């Protein structure tokens, strides 16, 4: 621990694993579906990662240690579990760091883009695919939200 480590000594560290073995050790049932949990030994599945926690512990009380370089996976996990403290270890650079909004470039970029969108008076809607059912309904709903916010929209 160094001076920037503000984690308390009783704060557990959760390891994010991409494996079915961890779920099997929590429960004899099959792997849960994405975004689900099991109460006897909680199993959280998100973005292909599985967390197994005791039933009486909240995920928010954990610190997550991510092994790998900065990536979209890390950013997605940080956004999904935004109440957890994150540390990452890059094995190529042999560096460990505490992840924050200021450190993670992808989160900084996302924050910047969200703020720019808030300031915009005109919003463009681009449909990446027309093969999705009810895409017109979704576009019309977006137009309504944009209009209610006092902005113009173009498709």
């Amino acid at each position: 621990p160094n001076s920037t480590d503000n984690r308390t000594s009783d704060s557990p560290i959760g390891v994010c694993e991409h494996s079915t073995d961890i779920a099997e050790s929590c429960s004899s049932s099959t792997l849960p579906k994405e975004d689900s949990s099991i109460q006897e030994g909680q199993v959280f599945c998100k973005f292909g990662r599985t967390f197994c926690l005791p039933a009486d512990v909240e995920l928010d009380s954990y610190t997550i240690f991510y092994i790998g370089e900065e990536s979209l996976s890390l950013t997605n996990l940080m956004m999904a579990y935004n109440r957890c403290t994150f540390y990452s270890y890059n094995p190529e650079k042999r560096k460990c760091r505490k992840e924050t909004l200021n450190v993670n470039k992808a989160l900084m970029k996302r924050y910047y883009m969200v703020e720019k969108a808030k300031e915009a008076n005109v919003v463009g809607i681009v449909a990446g695919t027309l093969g999705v059912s009810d895409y017109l309904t979704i576009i019309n709903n977006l137009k309504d939200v944009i209009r209610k916010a006092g902005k113009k929209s173009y498709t």
Side-chain angles (χ1 to χ4, degrees), residues 25-90:
S25 69
C26 292
S27 171
S28 59
S29 64
T30 60
L31 264 176
K33 293 182 180 176
E34 206 59 28
D35 298 327
S36 63
S37 65
I38 295 174
Q39 289 305 320
E40 57 189 48
Q42 296 177 16
V43 178
F44 297 89
C45 293
K46 195 91 137 176
F47 310 117
R49 303 316 198 259
T50 304
F51 297 93
C52 175
L53 303 176
D56 60 340
V57 177
E58 293 293 322
L59 182 62
D60 295 349
S61 66
Y62 274 73
T63 296
I64 298 176
F65 190 78
Y66 181 88
I67 300 174
E69 60 188 54
E70 187 174 322
S71 65
L72 185 58
S73 294
L74 174 59
T75 302
N76 287 338
L77 286 167
M78 289 178 69
M79 287 190 290
Y81 301 111
N82 56 11
R83 293 185 179 171
C84 296
T85 303
F86 275 80
Y87 288 88
S88 68
Y89 174 73
N90 185 332

